[in-house]
Amino acid sequence: MILFASSFLISFVINFLVIKSNLINARDYKNGIQKFHTWDAVRIGGVGIFLGFSFSAFLLFEDKVYTCKLIIACLPVFIGGLLEDIMKKINAKLRLLFAFASGILSVFLLDAYLTRVDFTIFDYFLKNYFIVSVLFTSFALAGVANAINIIDGFNGLASGVGLIIFTSYAYVSFILNDELLFAVSISYLGALLGFFLWNFPKGRIFLGDGGAYLTGFLGGLIGVLMVNRHPEASAWFPLTLMFYPVWETLFSIYRRIFIQGYSSTEPDVKHLHSLIYKRIIKKELSENRPSWLLNSLTSPYLWFLELICAIPAVMFWDNTLALISTCIIFAIFYTWFYGRLVKFKVPKIAKILIPKYILRSLQ
């Protein structure tokens, strides 16, 4: 609990100071194709998260050398995102390169490289060809980092999904009696919560690319370490746990290239969370509601999607067949739900799920 409390307090205080400073270069203005807020907010919430996690980890983790290596491995992906938050000139491909560099560092500093994905033919190449394992692991970590950034668009969305992910990691790490992974998970969970309370519901500060990429990368890194350290854990556990943002990314790439015919790196407003906001929340609850409230009410829908993945992942963390089945079912449900929204045919279940209890509590 000391790890959780210390990282939470540091993150909470630093984010408060960042909000009060209102730095001009760190503002996230309301103009832009992917902007769904009507207020100017600070977008460097990742600073408080990174410092909260790093300070508490270094002060309280027993293995100081390993802690330093872990922080160093996370630096490129965090810095790449933070530079975009401040300069707004670091394109997606360059940010992915920073994330890939963090993946490479993780391999050589932390021995975090995959030797199995629980598919025989792939496992053969991963186990017998180190370069294949290095490239595959680094690519996967960069991809997961980018996936969290893609779903970051509304108050509490990406950070709420992150809280579910790291809570799940902490629980399974506890079951496996892995003190290191439990400490990493619980520390980052505290830092993320310290940010979340300022971000949701009123969006006083945003995660930013630095915070989003860091959250995704560390989520993927814990998964790689868990699979390496515990043969009984299915390699599909971390993938299932993070399958919502991963599938969102893969589906978006397919949609942009093969359906809409443009670059997969171009921003757009056709992500699932964008459609939920425009075709469910605004349509059903737009009367005399403040914009920050409509923005925030979008996120619980996506938290629900994450729970569809996270609950089976935690229940069947050692059962590959069950986890693969979960991913397949989720992909089918997501694609069906997305298709209905595109055709302006909102499923009745979506209206039932409108979080009116949250609406009452936030007003």
Side-chain angles (χ1 to χ4, degrees), residues 66-126:
Y66 191 91
T67 303
C68 289
K69 291 179 179 180
L70 176 63
I71 294 171
I72 290 171
C74 291
L75 273 175
V77 66
F78 171 66
I79 291 174
L82 183 62
L83 288 175
E84 166 60 15
D85 293 332
I86 297 173
M87 300 171 60
K88 301 174 178 64
K89 294 181 179 180
I90 311 298
N91 61 43
K93 292 180 180 178
L94 189 53
R95 295 197 300 272
L96 280 173
L97 187 61
F98 275 97
F100 191 84
S102 278
I104 294 293
L105 285 175
S106 298
V107 170
F108 292 100
L109 293 178
L110 305 172
D111 290 329
Y113 54 91
L114 289 168
T115 58
R116 63 183 176 94
V117 291
D118 291 347
F119 273 126
T120 304
I121 187 169
F122 292 107
D123 290 354
Y124 172 81
F125 286 101
L126 291 173

Side-chain angles (χ1 to χ4, degrees), residues 4 47 56 59 74 84 107 162 169 178-179 281 285 301 322 333 347:
F4 177 85
V47 172
S56 64
L59 292 174
C74 291
E84 166 60 15
V107 170
Y169 274 136
D178 192 318
E179 295 182 1
I281 299 298
L285 302 173
Y301 278 88
F333 173 78

Side-chain angles (χ1 to χ4, degrees), residues 136-322:
F136 179 81
T137 303
S138 301
F139 178 81
L141 290 176
V144 172
N146 184 61
I148 293 294
N149 190 53
I150 282 180
I151 67 167
D152 183 28
F154 290 90
N155 300 344
L157 200 169
S159 53
V161 169
L163 289 174
I164 295 171
I165 290 171
F166 285 94
T167 299
S168 301
Y169 274 136
Y171 174 75
V172 175
S173 298
F174 178 79
I175 291 176
L176 292 169
N177 198 30
D178 192 318
E179 295 182 1
L180 174 64
L181 293 186
F182 178 80
V184 174
S185 301
I186 207 73
S187 296
Y188 199 80
L189 182 64
L192 199 57
L193 182 61
F195 160 82
F196 179 84
L197 295 181
W198 292 116
N199 174 246
F200 185 86
K202 292 193 173 181
R204 294 182 176 90
I205 187 170
F206 296 156
L207 201 58
D209 285 17
Y213 273 93
L214 176 64
T215 299
F217 177 81
L218 191 59
L221 180 58
I222 293 174
V224 172
L225 291 171
M226 184 172 290
V227 171
N228 281 1
R229 293 161 66 94
H230 301 281
E232 65 271 34
S234 171
W236 280 76
F237 165 63
L239 176 59
T240 306
L241 185 58
M242 305 185 74
F243 195 68
Y244 156 53
V246 169
W247 184 253
E248 172 77 35
T249 303
L250 296 175
F251 184 83
S252 297
I253 292 172
Y254 170 80
R255 170 176 56 81
R256 290 171 176 176
I257 295 176
F258 296 103
I259 297 179
Q260 296 168 306
Y262 60 85
S263 173
S264 62
T265 60
E266 290 294 322
D268 65 19
V269 290
K270 295 184 179 180
H271 292 294
L272 180 61
H273 48 266
S274 306
L275 294 179
I276 289 174
Y277 173 74
K278 292 187 292 185
R279 300 183 182 179
I280 299 179
I281 299 298
K282 289 190 70 176
K283 183 179 179 181
E284 298 292 331
L285 302 173
S286 60
E287 295 182 6
N288 302 318
R289 310 294 185 190
S291 59
W292 63 263
L293 181 57
L294 297 178
N295 182 301
S296 298
L297 286 174
T298 304
S299 297
Y301 278 88
L302 290 312
W303 299 342
F304 175 75
L305 283 185
E306 173 57 30
L307 287 172
I308 292 177
C309 296
I311 292 174
V314 170
M315 291 176 62
F316 305 109
W317 57 271
D318 58 348
N319 189 326
T320 297
L321 181 60

